[in-house]
Amino acid sequence: MNIVLISTYDLGRQPFGLASPTAWLEARGHRVTPIDLTLSPLPSLVVREADLVAFFLPMHTATRLAVPVIDRVKRLNGNARLAAYGLYAPLNETYLQELGIHHVFGGEFEPGLAALAGGVAPAQPIALDRLTFLTPSRAGLPALSRYAKLHINGECRTAGYTEASRGCKHLCRHCPVVPVYNGTFRVVQQEVVLEDVRRQVAAGAAHITFGDPDFFNGPTHAIRLVEALHAEFPALTYDVTIKVEHLLNHRDLLPVLARTNCAFVITAVESVQDDVLLKLDKGHTEAGFIEAVTLCRAAGLALTPTFIPFTPWTTREGYLGLLSVLARLDLIDHVPPIQLALRLLIPQGSRLLELEEIQSVVSGYDPAALLHRWRHPDEDIDALAANVLRLVNETQRARVPRREIFARLWRAAAEDVALPENFDLLPRAEVPYLDEPWYC
């Protein structure tokens, strides 16, 4: 069977969600063409010859971008079976079916795609079976050198990407992983991960991003993996995502991360207001976040916190309080400016809908936008959110330094409150970062 796999957006990285199913399908004798539309145009001839076209939808942005591509594929090839897979596929199953998608796969999607290619359509859209994974097949994808780079100590490094686990043990209310995995997580076998990294290093990678929702869901597996990785590639750096709660509970493992060349740790803080953190069911407090910053610094780890500053509970004072905390902790240069402009996204199936205060602000589900629309009870906060987003977009396009962007956001929040003392000191040593910041 001729199969086309399409990715529309994957955070500037070579799509694992194309490479992994390609390996499964090729192992069964199918001809697979992976297409990353961020770097390549849609090849009309290849699409016309396809028997099956499947869209990788790992996040909100990727799904929105896929909508017009689905329509174009239908016009090019009305006979092809169309499928969608990844985190946002089952969350938007009804809408995708209305667009013309015949089959949807979530969770551990590789066996479902393989079965469909073999003529058997699985009955359930979500599968959470324990799998023996295959090493991803990346030969048909654009070179790693064309993707996001790591900037560290004045050096620019080619970055690869892999996954050591999937799903998550936790049930944070706002997280889109939860409606699909519901507290389940699955380990990818160590040798599969190591072989994937070996091949990417051979292709030029000097850094690896581990895309696990939480690298410490399985801390023993994680530490064994990075120890083996460091033994084989002593100069290779990597980054991981770890909950504040796990940074605190596994503080003894932080020096191991530093020793094995972890360049930075992403942690989803979301808010510095304890009442909001409780509503989001994050499992940490502001004090816990501050302690995690201290622990990471003591271990020699750079911390990159992420946030959802604009929620139905945001106040102007609360937003300024977030900026104040970042300044006080000397984290301004650690936070991509877009993280200070994000508005709470409520996808289909979100646990946020369990809260009465959310029900009181939502105005209904918008399938085309892939979210439940909501308005803040205070129109001034929605106006602030729009202004902050505009400022971030304009200044990032103009390549304004992070500290200057921060200053403009501060003034937008409160013109009558002076910037923190010593704000104008020269920035600290460069914080390691990928040049395609985390988004959604």
Side-chain angles (χ1 to χ4, degrees), residues 373-433:
R373 298 282 186 184
W374 64 271
R375 289 185 177 180
H376 195 284
D378 183 351
E379 292 182 0
D380 177 61
I381 300 302
D382 279 339
L384 175 63
N387 188 33
V388 164
L389 182 60
R390 179 188 59 80
L391 280 171
V392 168
N393 286 335
E394 289 177 355
T395 51
Q396 287 197 307
R397 281 195 298 268
R399 298 186 180 277
V400 175
R402 285 185 179 182
R403 284 187 171 244
E404 175 57 28
I405 297 175
F406 183 92
R408 296 186 192 186
L409 297 183
W410 183 285
R411 295 184 188 107
E415 291 184 358
D416 57 340
V417 179
L419 282 161
E421 188 178 358
N422 297 328
F423 174 80
D424 292 327
L425 289 176
L426 290 175
R428 307 300 192 266
E430 182 182 277
V431 178
Y433 69 96

Side-chain angles (χ1 to χ4, degrees), residues 104-279:
V104 166
F105 304 99
E108 310 312 288
F109 51 75
E110 289 92 344
L113 282 171
L116 179 61
V120 179
Q124 298 299 323
I126 297 175
L128 301 178
D129 300 333
R130 297 182 187 276
L131 304 180
T132 299
F133 288 91
L134 300 179
T135 304
S137 175
R138 301 176 180 273
L141 290 168
L144 282 178
S145 60
R146 299 183 63 191
Y147 289 93
K149 304 289 193 301
L150 173 75
H151 296 259
I152 183 170
N153 299 326
E155 180 186 353
C156 184
R157 299 185 181 180
T158 296
Y161 174 91
T162 195
E163 297 176 1
S165 66
R166 291 178 171 179
C168 187
K169 290 180 177 180
H170 302 276
L171 300 172
C172 304
R173 288 189 188 276
H174 62 295
C175 181
V177 175
V178 174
V180 175
Y181 280 90
N182 195 31
T184 300
F185 99 107
R186 294 288 180 250
V187 164
V188 181
Q189 290 77 24
Q190 178 173 309
E191 187 51 42
V192 172
V193 182
L194 289 174
E195 181 57 27
D196 188 28
V197 172
R198 288 185 193 110
R199 295 182 185 184
Q200 292 184 76
V201 170
H207 176 85
I208 294 292
T209 290
F210 285 98
D212 312 41
D214 194 307
F215 198 61
F216 275 0
N217 267 322
T220 301
H221 171 62
I223 292 301
R224 286 175 179 169
L225 178 58
V226 296
E227 291 275 25
L229 191 67
H230 184 61
E232 189 167 349
F233 303 106
L236 187 72
T237 55
Y238 65 91
D239 69 88
V240 295
T241 299
I242 302 175
K243 279 175 65 72
V244 170
E245 179 182 354
H246 284 167
L247 292 173
L248 299 177
N249 292 342
H250 302 293
R251 62 188 67 198
D252 57 313
L253 300 181
L254 302 185
V256 181
L257 296 181
R259 177 174 55 77
T260 55
N261 282 354
C262 181
F264 62 92
V265 175
I266 298 171
T267 190
V269 180
E270 317 303 25
S271 175
V272 295
Q273 295 178 246
D274 286 349
D275 59 331
V276 175
L277 291 168
L278 187 62
K279 294 177 193 298

Side-chain angles (χ1 to χ4, degrees), residues 269-398:
V269 180
E270 317 303 25
S271 175
V272 295
Q273 295 178 246
D274 286 349
D275 59 331
V276 175
L277 291 168
L278 187 62
K279 294 177 193 298
L280 297 179
D281 203 2
K282 282 298 299 178
H284 69 261
T285 62
E286 178 190 6
F289 163 53
I290 294 171
E291 184 180 3
V293 173
T294 302
L295 290 170
C296 286
R297 284 190 172 140
L301 289 170
L303 195 66
T304 299
T306 64
F307 298 96
I308 306 174
F310 293 102
T311 72
W313 310 288
T314 299
T315 62
R316 190 172 285 268
E317 295 75 17
Y319 185 71
L320 194 63
L322 168 61
L323 300 184
S324 299
V325 168
L326 295 181
R328 187 173 80 246
L329 296 178
D330 194 21
L331 288 172
I332 295 170
D333 298 309
H334 293 245
V335 180
I338 189 62
Q339 289 296 321
L340 301 177
L342 295 181
R343 195 170 186 270
L344 182 67
L345 190 152
I346 308 177
Q348 192 76 302
S350 174
R351 286 192 62 225
L352 285 165
L353 297 168
E354 299 170 0
L355 300 177
E356 289 185 9
E357 52 261 62
I358 291 294
Q359 290 288 349
S360 69
V361 298
V362 295
S363 57
Y365 186 70
D366 183 343
L370 312 177
L371 49 76
H372 289 267
R373 298 282 186 184
W374 64 271
R375 289 185 177 180
H376 195 284
D378 183 351
E379 292 182 0
D380 177 61
I381 300 302
D382 279 339
L384 175 63
N387 188 33
V388 164
L389 182 60
R390 179 188 59 80
L391 280 171
V392 168
N393 286 335
E394 289 177 355
T395 51
Q396 287 197 307
R397 281 195 298 268

